[in-house]
Amino acid sequence: MPIPTELVGSLPRPMKLQEAYQKLDDGEIKFEDLQELQEEAAQDSIKRLEQTGETYVTDGEQRESSFATYPITDTLAGTGLADNLAGDGQFFAIFDDGHHRQLPRLTGGPFRYKTFASEFVEKNKQAASKPVKQAVISPSMMMLLYPLDEELEGYSREEFLNDVCDEVEKDIRRCFEAGAERVSIDFTEGRLANKNDSRNPWTGRDMLQDFIDLNNRVLDRFSAEERKNIGIHTCPGGDNDSVHSREVPYEKLLSKMFELNAGYFLIQCASESDKESVYKLVGQYSRDDANGVPQVCFMGVINPLTPEVETPEQVKNDLVLAAKYIPVERLGATDDCGFSPFSRDEKPAHGSPDFARDVAMQKISARLEGTRMASEELGV
Ligand SMILES: [Zn+2]
């Protein structure tokens, strides 16, 4: 079988759409007006991804406030926030360029999603002629909505985590029911968990094992057959062309991450200074049998944070080298991250999000062609 390839999920939102998010926050337009522009951008994403020949298509997350907050708020500024949440939670991440992203704060129970990703899948299925995938957020990211140190009155941490697992399970099941063929879980907080950033207390609490255990509580509710198509995405962040945790030694995460009983992994690698050592670690720690499923390792061969387009030759060479360490039947190719996980992202290294959207398509085409060339060279 040729080496499989898959995108993470998001694409840059057109500037016109980003401005509409702002106008909704400012009360200048209605939610329906925003939705019209989201729809237009989503249709365009699907059409353009299909033109590249991408295996599974997405709407580029054009309808989502972000990869992490789509279930609980309509905009990043908190317009349309779900019940029992306030806007002033902890920082999710502080990025290398100094900007940060903040999560809402849970004020009481119960915790419920207001939007499930299956709503997007249903719409995308109607527009697409190719198979559809959907990215969803991890239970471990939702875990950060609960205050770090206090217990909420009348709603214990354990009750909350039970609710989180139920909501995430529903989110995944409903995506499959709506016709998604693949569902990947965004787990960008994994590497960040070992950052020990004094400005961001949760990153100093050694939470990685708790994250993995919580995510496995959800994964273990699915059969091996279902888990073949449930993935985990890891990265050091990707927002405004900046990262949050690339300096954290990768082995701290990779030595633990494959404890997750997922059938595939979308692993940032193209932007690493020593890619070969990452292939080695992935080969060393990934498993042939994770409770009944082999772990297929999709290595990042494209960096979505730079405007320079990788060549198919570069992609091919990366994959051929990766195959020295990762069994080729468990090797895949992906991008290091979504191209724009947050709805407000001006893509400064690119000059504009509209240009970055064009660049993303060229990068995806290079990944597809390079992966084809690698399969040919490796004889698979
Ligand atoms: Zn990512």
Side-chain angles (χ1 to χ4, degrees):
M1 198 185 74
I3 296 170
T5 183
E6 178 172 331
L7 84 169
V8 174
S10 66
L11 293 168
R13 276 80 164 169
M15 197 45 138
K16 195 168 78 167
L17 176 57
Q18 297 196 29
E19 285 164 358
Y21 274 95
Q22 183 67 48
K23 285 182 187 157
L24 181 70
D25 287 329
D26 294 343
E28 289 172 25
I29 60 169
K30 293 203 223 61
F31 188 52
E32 295 71 55
D33 303 322
L34 175 70
Q35 282 182 306
E36 223 169 272
L37 288 174
Q38 288 175 333
E39 193 56 36
E40 198 180 292
Q43 301 271 352
D44 182 65
S45 302
I46 292 169
K47 196 177 80 192
R48 293 177 72 178
L49 285 172
E50 290 193 340
Q51 282 167 357
T52 65
E54 184 69 274
T55 323
Y56 304 100
V57 299
T58 72
D59 58 14
E61 302 179 5
Q62 309 293 298
R63 303 182 180 94
E64 302 180 22
S65 53
S66 80
F67 73 105
T69 54
Y70 69 86
I72 52 173
T73 182
D74 295 335
T75 77
L76 289 167
T79 304
L81 200 58
D83 293 342
N84 300 325
L85 290 167
D88 58 342
Q90 51 191 334
F91 288 143
F92 148 60
I94 302 170
F95 289 77
D96 290 358
D97 66 358
H99 88 283
H100 64 260
R101 294 292 188 179
Q102 193 173 9
L103 289 167
R105 171 176 58 90
L106 197 73
T107 55
F111 174 70
R112 296 285 182 267
Y113 279 11
K114 62 169 250 178
T115 304
F116 288 89
S118 53
E119 287 183 23
F120 315 131
V121 176
E122 278 164 21
K123 290 176 182 163
N124 298 341
K125 277 291 285 180
Q126 283 177 8
S129 59
K130 298 196 103 194
V132 166
K133 81 156 278 189
Q134 181 65 40
V136 298
I137 193 56
S138 61
S140 47
M141 175 71 85
M142 291 294 116
M143 188 176 175
L144 296 172
L145 298 174
Y146 200 93
L148 193 57
D149 293 314
E150 308 140 50
E151 283 273 311
L152 286 176
E153 205 173 312
Y155 192 51
S156 70
R157 188 176 298 270
E158 199 44 43
E159 279 175 281
F160 165 67
L161 293 178
N162 288 337
D163 283 342
V164 166
C165 288
D166 289 347
E167 295 303 277
V168 175
E169 180 190 359
K170 263 187 250 170
D171 205 22
I172 297 170
R173 286 203 190 283
R174 287 181 186 186
C175 284
F176 284 127
E177 283 160 16
E181 296 200 9
R182 306 274 273 183
V183 177
S184 59
I185 300 170
D186 285 326
F187 183 47
T188 182
E189 64 280 16
R191 192 155 176 191
L192 191 54
N194 279 305
K195 174 146 173 167
N196 293 318
D197 182 347
S198 59
R199 300 166 301 172
N200 196 11
W202 77 261
T203 66
R205 297 295 177 87
D206 210 9
M207 291 173 82
L208 181 59
Q209 192 64 51
D210 290 340
F211 285 174
I212 286 172
D213 294 345
L214 186 69
N215 293 342
N216 263 340
R217 266 171 72 179
V218 173
L219 286 167
D220 291 344
R221 295 179 182 188
F222 291 87
S223 68
E225 200 51 38
E226 289 167 325
R227 279 182 289 115
K228 270 187 201 163
N229 292 309
I230 301 178
I232 296 283
H233 163 58
T234 179
C235 67
D239 183 34
N240 279 299
D241 294 332
S242 185
V243 293
H244 54 54
S245 55
R246 198 157 54 207
E247 76 278 30
V248 177
Y250 218 160
E251 185 161 13
K252 288 194 175 198
L253 174 67
L254 295 177
S255 61
K256 294 274 175 195
M257 186 178 74
F258 295 101
E259 290 175 18
L260 290 165
N261 293 316
Y264 74 100
F265 291 79
L266 303 170
I267 303 165
Q268 168 265 350
C269 186
S271 63
E272 289 293 312
S273 55
D274 182 1
K275 293 186 255 192
E276 191 164 1
S277 74
V278 180
Y279 303 141
K280 262 187 223 173
L281 290 169
V282 169
Q284 181 185 345
Y285 290 108
S286 64
R287 292 180 288 160
D288 283 324
D289 183 354
N291 276 0
V293 283
Q295 294 181 322
V296 182
C297 304
F298 288 70
M299 301 309 299
V301 292
I302 295 292
N303 182 358
L305 305 181
T306 61
E308 293 79 31
V309 179
E310 292 80 356
T311 64
E313 191 74 19
Q314 280 174 315
V315 170
K316 183 203 76 174
N317 291 341
D318 283 355
L319 291 170
V320 169
L321 182 59
K324 274 177 64 184
Y325 302 99
I326 304 165
V328 71
E329 66 278 9
R330 287 201 291 107
L331 176 64
T334 186
D335 312 314
D336 274 7
C337 189
F339 285 85
S340 223
F342 293 86
S343 54
R344 302 302 308 276
D345 180 348
E346 295 184 2
K347 299 294 283 179
H350 291 71
S352 86
D354 295 288
F355 179 63
R357 225 170 133 78
D358 295 339
V359 171
M361 295 303 161
Q362 294 169 30
K363 285 180 173 253
I364 288 168
S365 296
R367 165 166 52 77
L368 294 166
E369 175 59 11
T371 304
R372 194 194 58 73
M373 287 160 60
S375 297
E376 205 172 87
E377 185 156 322
L378 293 164
V380 291

